[in-house]
Amino acid sequence: MTGLPKKAFPLRLDPALHAAIERAAASDLRSVNAEVECLLREALARRGVKLEAPVPARRGRPPKSSEGEA
């Protein structure tokens, strides 16, 4: 899993806006949630708001432990 928990909150969107975000997310192979987060980060960067880089999700198999190996 990722290191830090994410803040969850309800968000009400116009259905047409949600559909547009859904299409953009699909073209970028992202979830709608990840697309909204990306769009917010881009908008804040354009306004000059500096954020820390997001913690990337860990992908792939977990490393093998050295216990029990012969």
Side-chain angles (χ1 to χ4, degrees):
M1 290 231 188
T2 59
L4 299 173
K6 294 200 173 206
K7 175 73 174 165
F9 69 98
L11 177 64
R12 289 178 288 282
L13 295 174
D14 177 86
L17 178 59
H18 185 273
I21 294 170
E22 207 168 29
R23 287 190 304 273
S27 71
D28 292 339
L29 300 176
R30 292 187 181 120
S31 67
V32 170
N33 188 73
E35 187 70 18
V36 168
E37 188 172 345
C38 184
L39 291 170
L40 288 171
R41 286 181 179 278
E42 289 173 0
L44 287 172
R46 281 194 306 270
R47 288 181 169 222
V49 177
K50 299 200 186 293
L51 294 173
E52 293 180 19
V55 177
R58 297 181 67 182
R59 298 188 181 268
R61 293 183 180 185
K64 291 184 178 181
S65 65
S66 58
E67 294 177 17
E69 289 184 324

